[in-house]
Amino acid sequence: MRLGAARFVAGTTLDECVAVLRRLNEAGLHTNTTLLGEEIADHAGARAVVTEYERILDRIAAEELRTNVALKLTHLGLSFDAEAAYANVEWLVAHAARLGNFIRIDMEHSGLVDATLHTYERLRADGHDNVGVVLQSYLYRSEGDLERLLPLAPNVRIVKGAYLEPPTVAYPRKRDVDAAFVRLVERGLRGGAYVAVATHDERIIRHVQAFAAREGFGHGRFEFQMLYGVRPALQRRLVAQSHKVLVATPFGPDWYPYLMRRLAERPANVLFFLRSLVRR
Ligand code: FDA
């Protein structure tokens, strides 16, 4: 952690993370947090994660942070027991509701999209409204998925997508991913969704600002979301323009795969990381 990961990960413990969340809140930023980890392999492991998330939600409430939670269903057991994962996430969503908080279900690799969307739809059918979902613009299917979700007036985060997917399911070319991202945001806003525009792509951010202004979508209909440690000056600039900006701020001892995804996204990050190794 000391060797550079701390740029992207808010520590290994909840105490360390709370200090970072508070600092971000004080700068006018909203936050979400995630206990890093995925692909839990047994019931006991998934139950331990649920207990940890309860503790996180209680601590957020006690500290009066402007922070919600984003979690992965494979961290709650989806890989080996979909029913158990549903029971776990429903328990946490209900707990968050009692505390006036919100839970976002992250989207993982393409093989899990059906199960993840089904979980979201089932939660909504069971009366839970304090829950949101994610669609990835690199997947050909996402525009169809958005149409299916729109009658629920979903809180949907749009991302480009972070997993290595084959061209049979995902656009191989970046410009197609970018164009699909914009279409999803525009369709989401026009279709009545609350849209979390999760990107560091300034061109897309400017496009969304212009589109929203032109079509009369106020700042209450969408927010920008970015990752902790990525483009912090842009985050603050958008706050100064009175946009809601949420910084996804993960923590936990299992930070390694997350860090590798961030490094893979941008070769310059590897240089940054190596330089911090050399300096120590
Ligand atoms: P793109 O990769 O085109 O980058 C645009 C510009 O942003 C770059 O030129 C660079 O300046 C900057 N930038 C991007 N990444 C950077 C980095 N790591 N370090 C430094 N600069 C960087 N994915 C997923 O599959 N499921 C999910 O649930 C989520 N959830 C999620 C939440 C939030 C809040 C964010 C911001 C992102 C996600 N993602 C995700 C990840 C997403 O799919 C994508 O991999 C990253 O956001 C990077 O793509 P950009 O949209 O930033 O564009």
Side-chain angles (χ1 to χ4, degrees):
M1 184 61 67
R2 268 182 274 119
L3 298 178
R7 177 182 164 187
F8 298 108
V9 178
T12 54
T13 67
L14 183 54
D15 281 342
E16 287 168 343
C17 183
V18 164
V20 173
L21 295 170
R22 182 168 303 292
R23 188 166 50 72
L24 292 167
N25 282 177
E26 283 168 3
L29 296 154
H30 292 248
T31 43
N32 72 30
T33 192
T34 297
L35 174 65
L36 289 171
E38 44 206 276
E39 298 288 354
I40 288 286
D42 56 42
H43 287 281
R47 267 197 303 275
V49 173
V50 172
T51 304
E52 196 55 25
Y53 269 121
E54 273 180 45
R55 192 170 77 91
I56 293 167
L57 285 161
D58 291 343
R59 182 75 182 275
I60 290 169
E63 302 266 352
E64 299 182 354
L65 296 168
R66 270 178 292 145
T67 302
N68 59 49
V69 158
L71 51 75
K72 291 186 171 31
L73 291 179
T74 61
H75 211 190
L76 300 180
L78 182 64
S79 327
F80 63 90
D81 185 344
E83 271 307 311
Y86 184 79
N88 287 337
V89 73
E90 186 181 32
W91 174 267
L92 287 173
V93 168
H95 189 67
R98 283 192 288 276
L99 297 167
N101 211 335
F102 172 88
I103 291 192
R104 170 92 50 198
I105 303 173
D106 285 343
M107 191 58 83
E108 300 177 70
H109 66 78
S110 61
L112 294 169
V113 174
D114 279 328
T116 305
L117 294 182
H118 179 64
T119 299
Y120 173 74
E121 288 169 311
R122 189 171 160 194
L123 284 165
R124 294 295 307 275
D126 287 346
H128 300 287
D129 292 334
N130 60 320
V131 59
V133 72
V134 178
L135 292 175
Q136 298 152 320
S137 74
Y138 64 8
L139 294 184
Y140 305 132
R141 60 174 289 171
S142 288
E143 290 179 70
D145 289 333
L146 178 61
E147 291 305 324
R148 197 177 91 205
L149 294 177
L150 280 177
L152 298 174
N155 182 323
V156 61
R157 175 204 285 157
I158 306 297
V159 301
K160 292 188 186 179
Y163 297 82
L164 196 60
E165 298 287 358
T168 44
V169 299
Y171 295 108
R173 288 187 314 187
K174 180 172 159 45
R175 67 167 174 274
D176 294 327
V177 178
D178 292 354
F181 188 108
V182 168
R183 286 197 301 275
L184 284 165
V185 171
E186 292 183 352
R187 178 66 190 127
L189 285 171
R190 284 187 175 133
Y194 180 87
V195 182
V197 182
T199 183
H200 315 93
D201 189 327
E202 275 197 80
R203 209 180 44 81
I204 289 183
I205 289 170
R206 276 197 303 272
H207 178 97
V208 170
Q209 287 178 306
F211 172 81
R214 201 168 57 241
E215 303 244 339
F217 296 117
H219 290 188
R221 284 291 310 284
F222 66 99
E223 68 190 56
F224 292 108
Q225 297 192 346
M226 295 184 212
L227 301 176
Y228 177 60
V230 181
R231 306 298 311 268
L234 176 59
Q235 296 170 10
R236 284 170 169 73
R237 205 158 74 228
L238 289 168
V239 170
Q241 293 167 13
S242 79
H243 286 291
K244 178 174 175 185
V245 179
L246 178 144
V247 180
T249 309
F251 79 100
D254 296 330
W255 47 265
Y256 185 77
Y258 178 84
L259 177 69
M260 288 305 119
R261 279 206 288 276
R262 301 292 78 84
L263 296 185
E265 266 159 14
R266 193 160 176 260
N269 287 342
V270 180
L271 282 179
F272 170 91
F273 185 70
L274 291 176
R275 255 188 250 123
S276 66
L277 285 179
V278 171
R279 277 200 204 109
R280 293 203 160 257

